[in-house]
Amino acid sequence: MKKLTLKFGGTSVGTIEQIRKVANIVKKRHDDGNQIIVIVSAMAGATNKLMSNSKSISKNFDSKELDVLISSGEQVSSSLLSGALIDLGIKARSWQGWQIPILTDDNYNSSKILNIKTDEILKFISDRGVAVISGFQGISEKSRITTLGRGGSDLSAVAIAKFFETDACEIYTDVEGILTTDPNIDKNAKKIDKISYEEMLEMASLGAKVMQPSAVQASMIDNIPIHVRSTFLEKSGTKIISESEIDHKKVVTGIAYSKNNAKVSIIGVIDKPGVAADVFEPIGKNNVNIDMVIQNTSLDGKTANITFTIKQGDLNKTLSIIEKNKNKINYNKITHNDKLAKVSIIGAGMIASPGVTYKMFRSLANENINILAISTSEIKISVLIQEELTQKAVKILHKTFELN
Ligand code: ADP
Ligand code: ASP
Ligand code: MG
């Protein structure tokens, strides 16, 4: 007998028919003699709808009320799934985050889980009950409802696996597992059998929506293996495990992309110590995340240009921060471009293989794709390109690195 955490994403509980399908999967695992804790997301599209309702009320909808609102989709799906299980003759019950409780900090809209009380649910599952927990939500010490960031049911699942010490953490979704790239962009995307926490964290952070980055980070810290698999195909999926258990046959494991990037160039700043800090300090203090940075010096060595990338949604705010600090920063002019994408190749195999960088750049050049900025780490190379070239770039890199 094993204790299992099974998480079903919004795309797996999007319709009543799908909820019945999920109930049958849970029943089968339960009939095999396992103790089961299920985490559910809201029905596909529900959270987006709630978000847009809040925006119709106000552009600056109160963050605490937003969490009350957007956590409600999971209450619906958890009760529907529990009801479906009861209908199949299984003892089942839903729990909302506050009922357990799942205690979080009070960083509304992207809270961290601090603790989960386990005794009541442990008793319930040891009495052959199936516990169905609403993902994405918790409660702060001040007894206010919190949420864990978009896609946060993945993080709920990892935390449940940790606090309940379950034998497995399975993430059921609408694709076969982690694929070499987004199947919506390249239909040649192939399932990856095993991927390391580090590679998965890069893939997720660089745009692969299939796992929430914070969930991957949490699983890496606590060494909790994850099995990402399909709700709709009875097949083994992808194991996210530690690097030491993987034999890298390929240099590149996967390709990720993110759209909606913007680039800002500050032209003609004085080239002296402290200037980059003067530029980035007010931007950082206003909670804008800076991604790539390039600085180049003019021929006379007296002035420099500082270029950086941010999310498109932060562009206007960033431009006005720079404008406000014009006296301190002292520049000639600013240029910007807000229709850019970042395309990245990821793979721990790169560490031992020289020539990956040139191969990436050459294959993009052959397709006439201009690179506007570059950033690298040991296991990834990212390039900034025009947004409309995203699909072309992903496809050619997928082919170049033999992932087709
Ligand atoms: P869930 O509803 O189960 O949480 P998500 O929509 O959050 O599912 O994530 C699954 C989706 O992620 C897939 O349907 C696919 O469109 C997208 N995706 C993007 N990149 C990848 C990738 N590399 N591998 C698998 N899926 C990916
Ligand atoms: N329902 C939440 C969202 O859409 C959480 C999740 O799906 O994981 O972001
Ligand atoms: Mg998801």
Side-chain angles (χ1 to χ4, degrees):
M1 184 190 64
K2 285 192 168 160
K3 199 169 23 171
L4 309 177
T5 300
L6 308 180
K7 180 254 171 179
F8 294 87
T11 49
S12 302
V13 294
T15 62
I16 297 299
E17 198 186 326
Q18 287 176 353
I19 290 175
R20 286 200 197 280
K21 162 109 191 135
V22 167
N24 279 303
I25 294 175
V26 173
K27 180 178 185 317
K28 185 159 179 290
R29 306 297 296 272
H30 186 255
D31 288 349
D32 290 343
N34 300 301
Q35 293 187 354
I36 312 255
I37 306 179
V38 178
I39 319 296
V40 272
S41 297
M43 295 170 82
T47 315
N48 284 345
K49 179 79 179 62
L50 295 165
M51 288 291 297
S52 87
N53 284 348
S54 76
K55 289 196 181 107
S56 313
I57 294 282
S58 163
K59 258 202 216 154
N60 300 311
F61 197 85
D62 182 80
S63 66
K64 299 182 181 74
E65 291 307 331
L66 185 65
D67 278 351
V68 177
L69 178 70
I70 61 176
S71 62
S72 64
E74 272 71 11
Q75 179 157 338
V76 173
S77 51
S78 64
S79 70
L80 286 173
L81 180 59
S82 301
L85 287 165
I86 293 167
D87 203 46
L88 291 175
I90 293 172
K91 171 175 159 182
R93 194 207 128 165
S94 64
W95 268 271
Q96 308 312 305
W98 63 270
Q99 293 174 303
I100 301 175
I102 295 177
L103 188 71
T104 72
D105 62 19
D106 56 5
N107 192 6
Y108 298 94
N109 313 162
S110 55
S111 299
K112 284 201 172 60
I113 294 177
L114 303 174
N115 196 17
I116 301 180
K117 194 160 158 285
T118 55
D119 45 355
E120 189 186 18
I121 289 177
L122 281 176
K123 177 157 187 325
F124 188 77
I125 59 173
S126 67
D127 291 342
R128 294 297 289 148
V130 171
V132 181
I133 298 178
S134 283
F136 185 46
Q137 47 170 269
I139 185 167
S140 73
E141 270 160 351
K142 292 173 189 145
S143 292
R144 303 220 38 172
I145 288 175
T146 54
T147 62
L148 310 177
R150 293 306 306 270
S153 298
D154 293 335
L155 180 57
S156 307
V158 173
I160 293 290
K162 173 184 167 182
F163 282 93
F164 287 86
E165 297 179 340
T166 61
D167 300 291
C169 179
E170 302 184 18
I171 307 276
Y172 282 87
T173 185
D174 65 339
V175 281
E176 255 185 277
I178 309 298
L179 308 179
T180 47
T181 193
D182 183 350
N184 299 309
I185 284 275
D186 190 342
K187 60 177 178 5
N188 294 310
K190 293 275 174 317
K191 189 190 76 186
I192 301 165
D193 291 328
K194 294 177 186 172
I195 188 168
S196 67
Y197 295 120
E198 290 80 0
E199 289 174 310
M200 191 61 232
L201 184 57
E202 291 282 10
M203 289 269 283
S205 311
L206 292 166
K209 166 172 176 255
V210 57
M211 281 291 296
Q212 190 207 30
S214 327
V216 182
Q217 194 179 29
S219 68
M220 179 161 97
I221 291 170
D222 289 305
N223 201 8
I224 294 170
I226 294 177
H227 182 185
V228 180
R229 59 186 307 181
S230 167
T231 301
F232 307 103
L233 300 169
E234 221 176 300
K235 268 188 171 179
S236 163
T238 302
K239 305 272 164 56
I240 308 176
I241 49 180
S242 84
E243 174 62 36
S244 59
E245 294 174 62
I246 298 176
D247 171 23
H248 291 283
K249 295 204 184 73
K250 287 197 168 143
V251 178
V252 171
T253 306
I255 320 270
Y257 68 92
S258 69
K259 290 188 175 175
N260 307 324
N261 289 265
K263 175 169 79 84
V264 177
S265 296
I266 309 181
I267 314 290
V269 293
I270 310 294
D271 192 19
K272 60 166 202 247
V275 63
D278 287 343
V279 170
F280 293 122
E281 188 178 351
I283 300 175
K285 283 189 172 157
N286 281 285
N287 283 326
V288 174
N289 263 331
I290 306 284
D291 186 9
M292 300 163 142
V293 179
I294 307 165
Q295 180 170 339
N296 33 32
T297 312
S298 65
L299 281 178
D300 63 11
K302 285 184 185 141
T303 60
N305 303 335
I306 297 182
T307 297
F308 58 90
T309 66
I310 48 177
K311 279 283 153 208
Q312 210 175 67
D314 286 331
L315 180 62
N316 288 339
K317 183 173 165 184
T318 304
L319 293 175
S320 75
I321 294 167
I322 298 169
E323 197 69 36
K324 265 191 212 141
N325 286 275
K326 186 159 183 22
N327 284 341
K328 192 163 184 198
I329 302 174
N330 217 329
Y331 55 86
N332 276 340
K333 66 171 182 176
I334 306 179
T335 61
H336 57 87
N337 182 338
D338 70 348
K339 289 259 174 316
L340 303 174
K342 187 165 74 167
V343 174
S344 310
I345 59 173
I346 296 116
M350 276 185 212
I351 299 173
S353 316
V356 185
T357 316
Y358 109 81
K359 214 170 157 185
M360 178 182 193
F361 297 170
R362 176 65 65 210
S363 70
L364 293 171
N366 288 342
E367 294 291 308
N368 246 328
I369 298 172
N370 197 20
I371 300 173
L372 307 170
I374 301 160
S375 75
T376 64
S377 78
E378 260 193 326
I379 63 164
K380 73 116 205 275
I381 304 170
S382 302
V383 295
L384 190 73
I385 61 170
Q386 295 296 342
E387 196 175 89
E388 76 258 20
L389 299 174
T390 308
Q391 183 164 25
K392 197 175 182 192
V394 169
K395 283 185 140 179
I396 188 64
L397 294 173
H398 199 262
K399 191 167 164 214
T400 302
F401 291 101
E402 292 163 14
L403 301 173
N404 276 2

